[in-house]
């Protein structure tokens, strides 16, 4: 019977939960565009009030779920980094830095990817990490994450400087576009978590029974 680190399913389920709430934000963005005249007619004040309240509720749920997924993912990658350090002496990023690098501006554009890459390589070939290829899915995941960071910043700027209905509609469009990016990004991350977990379990079993 394989023993799975409970941090792994917690990270996966929290990401799925966040993705579901993120769908709600995208729906609220679509309603916002339509209610403000996306089909030619602006909705009645009561309908606009409903859309506003729905948008606030979905955003609160999404932010809460995102915060939960951040905590669960941080716990998972910290533990995955600890195991990778036990496998290989060639690691350059500590478990703490593998988590903390996500929260430091500029550094969070490249260091988290380096941490994930090192964990992956050490979990496959601890003594020859340099020759282990980086999965295409990991590169795509990171590229999508960088795009999402840019969209989130653009959306924040749009909300912070709302001047007219067009700005509000733009925020709704950004919510939809962000969700389009979030779906493949989240699914790729789940695949990486599952595969990396399987690689590390195989490495542990090889050390015990090999």
């Amino acid at each position: 019977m394989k023993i799975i680190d409970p941090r792994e399913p917690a990270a996966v389920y929290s990401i799925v939960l966040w993705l579901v709430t993120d769908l709600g934000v995208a729906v609220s963005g679509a309603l916002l565009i339509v209610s403000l005249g996306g089909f030619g007619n602006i909705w009645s004040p009561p309908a606009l009030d409903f859309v506003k309240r729905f948008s606030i509720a979905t955003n609160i749920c999404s932010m809460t779920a995102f915060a939960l997924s951040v905590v669960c993912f941080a716990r998972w990658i910290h533990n995955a980094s600890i195991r990778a350090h036990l496998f290989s002496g060639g690691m350059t990023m500590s478990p703490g830095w593998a988590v903390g690098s996500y929260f430091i501006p500029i550094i969070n554009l490249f260091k988290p990817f380096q941490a994930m890459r090192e964990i992956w390589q050490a979990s496959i070939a601890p003594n020859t990490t340099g020759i282990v290829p980086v999965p295409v899915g990991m590169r795509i995941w990171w590229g999508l994450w960088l795009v999402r960071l840019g969209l989130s910043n653009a959306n924040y700027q749009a909300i912070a400087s709302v001047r007219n209905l067009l700005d509000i509609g733009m925020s709704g469009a950004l919510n939809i576009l962000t969700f389009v990016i979030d779906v493949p990004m989240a699914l790729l991350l789940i695949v990486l978590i599952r595969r990396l977990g399987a690689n590390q379990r195989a490495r542990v079993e090889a050390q015990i029974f090999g």
Side-chain angles (χ1 to χ4, degrees), residues 7 11 16 38 46 48 58 71 75-76 89 93 116 118 157 172 181 186 189-190 197 199:
R7 297 174 184 83
V16 172
L48 287 173
T58 55
V71 171
R75 293 180 70 247
W76 171 80
M93 294 189 66
M116 183 71 84
E118 287 189 357
Q157 296 298 328
I181 296 296
L189 180 56
I190 289 173
N199 291 341

Side-chain angles (χ1 to χ4, degrees), residues 53-99:
R53 287 185 281 109
F54 180 76
S55 178
I56 292 174
T58 55
N59 274 278
I60 290 175
C61 289
S62 182
M63 287 188 292
T64 302
F66 182 73
L68 175 63
S69 68
V70 167
V71 171
C72 292
F73 175 74
R75 293 180 70 247
W76 171 80
I77 197 170
H78 184 269
N79 200 54
S81 180
I82 289 175
R83 287 196 295 267
H85 275 269
L86 295 176
F87 299 151
S88 173
M91 302 283 290
T92 64
M93 294 189 66
S94 68
W97 192 235
V99 175

